[in-house]
Amino acid sequence: MEPKNMQSSPLKPYKYLLGTQILLRILATIFTLASTWIILTSKQTVTIFGLEMDARYSYSSAFKFFAFANMIGCAFSVLSLFLASVLGHKGLVPKNSFYMFLHDLIVMAVLLAGCAAATAVGYVGKYGEMHSGWMPICEHVDKFCHKVTNSVMLSYFAVFFYLCLTIISANQSRQIQV
């Protein structure tokens, strides 16, 4: 009986990194899809003093932008998952890592912009802006506000996943020889 060779393959860390990237891309896809689904189905109708008040994501341009940013993030997450799987099996190519870095950075920026817009409108919806005369509405349409909050929270997790992917891609692409 011979003892097994304890040396690790030089590709072993790369395989772990590829697995981590694929996992993060799957999580980003799931979280952006869930966030999109929640924001698109968020609506509530209440009656206040005999007046019917309707709250929908489509009434706010910031929430519409947020929904579209998540749709774009989800679509590009699926695309990058496919590309990472295909390019990952070809081995570590710093040029490909640089393109993935740019992709991840742009998707993260789009998602972050959508989250920021939705957070700003959500804050005004929850607390109002007394100087401008905007009253808080979340005490009246609490189900709508909770769904929007959950959607924004899921999207922020997707931003975090893309931040991790951006760091990983940047680290891999720094091996480019100019």
Side-chain angles (χ1 to χ4, degrees):
M1 294 183 75
E2 289 182 22
K4 290 185 178 181
N5 189 358
M6 299 306 269
Q7 293 178 346
S8 66
S9 165
L11 292 178
K12 194 170 186 179
Y14 173 72
K15 287 183 181 181
Y16 286 136
L17 211 53
L18 179 63
T20 302
Q21 276 193 355
I22 289 174
L23 174 67
L24 287 170
R25 290 180 196 287
I26 290 171
L27 288 173
T29 302
I30 291 169
F31 277 63
T32 54
L33 181 63
S35 178
T36 302
W37 180 261
I38 291 171
I39 194 71
L40 291 178
T41 60
S42 62
K43 61 183 173 182
Q44 184 179 1
T45 304
V46 294
T47 304
I48 302 172
F49 301 119
L51 297 172
E52 194 170 276
M53 186 172 122
D54 195 27
R56 296 175 186 261
Y57 88 96
S58 59
Y59 294 164
S60 166
S61 59
F63 286 154
K64 284 195 263 187
F65 174 69
F66 173 71
F68 284 120
N70 275 291
M71 286 181 216
I72 290 167
C74 185
F76 278 96
S77 294
V78 171
L79 176 68
S80 70
L81 180 61
F82 174 73
L83 288 175
S85 299
V86 170
L87 295 176
H89 292 295
K90 292 183 178 182
L92 180 61
V93 179
K95 184 178 175 183
N96 292 342
S97 297
F98 179 71
Y99 292 131
M100 290 303 281
F101 165 72
L102 288 177
H103 170 273
D104 296 340
L105 186 65
I106 291 168
V107 172
M108 184 187 73
V110 168
L111 286 174
L112 188 58
C115 286
T119 300
V121 170
Y123 181 86
V124 172
K126 181 147 179 84
Y127 299 107
E129 178 56 52
M130 297 308 164
H131 297 292
S132 300
W134 298 335
M135 304 301 291
I137 64 159
C138 282
E139 56 196 35
H140 302 292
V141 287
D142 57 336
K143 290 179 186 175
F144 173 78
C145 289
H146 288 303
K147 286 184 91 170
V148 169
T149 301
N150 290 338
S151 180
V152 172
M153 181 186 63
L154 290 173
S155 191
Y156 272 118
F157 278 116
V159 169
F160 175 74
F161 297 143
Y162 264 100
L163 175 65
C164 294
L165 285 166
T166 302
I167 292 169
I168 290 170
S169 300
N171 186 42
Q172 286 179 330
S173 68
R174 68 187 176 126
Q175 299 171 0
I176 294 176
Q177 300 295 323
V178 180

